[in-house]
Amino acid sequence: MKGSTVFAAELPWPDYHATVKDGRTPILIPVGSMEQHGHHMPLHVDVLLPTEFARRVAVEIGALVAPPVTYGYKSHQKSGGGNHLPGTTSLDGATMVAVLKDVVKEFARHGVRKLCLVNGHFENSWFITEGIDLALRELRWDGIADLKVVVLSYWDFVDREAIARLYPDGFPGWEVEHGGVLETSLMLALHPDLVQLDRAVDHPPATFPPYDVYPVRPERTPPSGTLSSPKAATVEKGHILLEVCTRGIVAALRAEFG
Ligand code: ZN
Ligand code: MN
């Protein structure tokens, strides 16, 4: 095969077909969102980051990376600032589930039997689960019962040791990490041209009551759109995150896919 891309959509179909038809090559599908990430980062952070984790992991384990799902489920105020913010462009839950169900079934039709959905947007989680569940059910009706699907969010592979190095002044929790140290450090390491750290707004971590109110009260989201300050983000922290998450995902997929 000419070239050595891991991106499935860069292959001519006969090469793709030869790679996936026996079911042994895993396919990784990044799942993101178009969502505001403060004044200092672009709208497709949640697409760029899982796509790069998927690429690194695919190189290690001999997998292919599918085109990412570039829209996600609605931003929640306590984890993404809220769906009312400009730029944030989301799918209804039923649409998100339908898209994922269709994509999973299509890869199964091609022969793929090892799939991993690499999530980069917290709010997608249960809709990914539902899309997979419906796809597996319909595939069983078609007599396909041997598709294995792994679902993961890359930040779940950040271990305690890494957290201690990333947040020497105390860890605010993943839920307020939207546009904060985690995503900004990764973007600084991977796409420094897309980060304007001088425009980042410094503010204490957002606090919310232990309930939600609809319609959303916009004043509960910090005006910057971020839920914690990105000011402590660094390239070095980005490399710590890249290393620990890639290592963890590779180990998980080797364990699950053999
Ligand atoms: Zn994000
Ligand atoms: Mn997000």
Side-chain angles (χ1 to χ4, degrees):
M1 196 186 300
K2 189 182 163 197
S4 57
T5 183
V6 296
F7 290 108
E10 294 180 356
L11 296 170
W13 78 259
D15 307 41
Y16 169 79
H17 181 56
T19 306
V20 305
K21 66 183 178 190
D22 68 2
R24 290 205 301 226
T25 300
I27 294 228
L28 314 184
I29 311 174
V31 189
S33 70
M34 179 169 174
E35 183 184 39
Q36 67 77 25
H37 276 76
H39 295 210
H40 66 297
M41 287 202 293
L43 295 162
H44 57 344
V45 168
D46 290 357
V47 174
L48 292 174
L49 297 180
T51 300
E52 176 59 14
F53 280 115
R55 189 193 67 78
R56 288 175 183 233
V57 170
V59 168
E60 292 279 323
I61 69 169
L64 288 178
V65 179
V69 179
T70 55
Y71 298 92
Y73 181 66
K74 293 162 196 160
S75 180
H76 188 251
Q77 187 166 38
K78 291 180 186 174
S79 52
N83 214 61
H84 57 290
L85 289 160
T88 296
T89 310
S90 306
L91 301 178
D92 286 351
T95 313
M96 184 74 191
V97 169
V99 166
L100 293 167
K101 184 188 81 166
D102 288 354
V103 170
V104 168
K105 286 172 61 185
E106 283 292 84
F107 284 116
R109 178 174 65 82
H110 303 161
V112 175
R113 292 297 179 266
K114 300 170 183 177
L115 266 182
C116 176
L117 278 75
V118 183
N119 184 31
H121 175 64
F122 178 80
E123 290 85 339
N124 286 339
S125 303
W126 290 112
F127 298 92
I128 293 175
T129 302
E130 179 69 356
I132 293 165
D133 187 65
L134 297 185
L136 291 179
R137 186 171 71 187
E138 292 183 14
L139 288 166
R140 279 196 302 274
W141 297 340
D142 282 348
I144 296 173
D146 57 347
L147 170 64
K148 186 172 195 176
V149 187
V150 173
V151 188
L152 57 88
S153 297
Y154 67 81
W155 54 83
D156 284 332
F157 293 84
V158 183
D159 58 22
R160 277 182 202 204
E161 191 197 321
I163 285 177
R165 294 168 71 194
L166 295 163
Y167 303 95
D169 302 323
F171 179 47
W174 292 138
E175 54 292 353
V176 293
E177 252 298 342
H178 178 70
V181 169
L182 170 97
E183 288 180 318
T184 306
S185 296
L186 283 165
M187 287 293 289
L188 281 173
L190 295 170
H191 300 283
D193 48 319
L194 296 177
V195 184
Q196 298 170 269
L197 206 50
D198 55 317
R199 293 183 63 188
V201 178
D202 201 15
H203 62 83
T207 54
F208 297 102
Y211 57 86
D212 300 309
V213 181
Y214 297 98
V216 156
R217 290 168 57 181
E219 69 275 14
R220 286 185 174 163
T221 302
S224 63
T226 53
L227 296 184
S228 55
S229 175
K231 285 287 186 188
T234 66
V235 175
E236 293 68 33
K237 289 178 181 175
H239 286 294
I240 292 170
L241 286 159
L242 283 170
E243 194 280 323
V244 71
C245 296
T246 304
R247 174 159 47 86
I249 298 170
V250 165
L253 295 191
R254 285 201 172 122
E256 294 300 332
F257 292 152

